[in-house]
Amino acid sequence: MKQFIGALTLVVPDYDEAIAFYVTKLGFELIEDTRLSDTKRWVLVAPRGSTETRLLLAKADGEAQHAAIGNQTGGRVFLFLNTDDFDRDHAAMLAAGVPFLEAPRLEPYGKVAVFRDPFGNKWDLIEAV
C-alpha cells in the first residue's frame, strides 16, 4: 500500500492575494481553482515539479479562522520548501521580494534560511545534504 499527504490546508485572508504570492513570488504552479459557491473556492498550489503534496489555500471564514492566519503552528516554522539548489532559489526569492528572517546557515541536515509569507507563516527553504 502506498500513502502520501495529498494536501495541507493553509488558512489565508484572500484567495487571489494568496495565489499571487505563491505563484508569482515563489514560482508555484496553480493546480486547481474551482468555485464551490459564491464565497468558497477549492484552490490548490504546489512547487513546480512536485507530484504529491499540495497546499489547499482556504479563505478564512469566521473569527477563529481569521485569528489563526499566520499562526497555525503557534509561531514555529510551519512549512518546509526543499530545493535542489538553495542559492538559485534564495536569490530568486529575494529578487521577488520574499522576506527572509535570517541569513542562510549551514546545519547538519543542509543549508537553510527562514522566510515568511505575507500572511505571517514561517517557512524553511532547505537544500538537504
Side-chain angles (χ1 to χ4, degrees), residues 19-73:
I19 291 169
F21 175 77
Y22 288 105
V23 173
T24 304
K25 301 233 182 221
L26 294 189
F28 283 21
E29 292 181 86
L30 178 60
I31 306 298
E32 184 175 354
D33 185 356
T34 302
R35 185 166 299 283
L36 301 176
S37 72
D38 288 341
T39 59
K40 192 172 181 180
R41 291 158 54 184
W42 182 263
V43 178
L44 292 170
V45 296
R48 295 200 180 277
S50 178
T51 59
E52 293 180 339
T53 307
R54 276 82 169 93
L55 286 180
L56 174 66
L57 303 177
K59 184 177 177 182
D61 182 19
E63 188 177 316
Q65 289 182 17
H66 278 279
I69 293 172
N71 194 29
Q72 294 181 111
T73 59

Side-chain angles (χ1 to χ4, degrees), residues 97-117:
V98 174
F100 277 82
L101 304 179
E102 62 184 18
R105 66 184 193 280
L106 294 176
E107 295 291 346
Y109 51 84
K111 193 170 191 179
V112 63
V114 177
F115 68 94
R116 183 180 300 146
D117 71 16

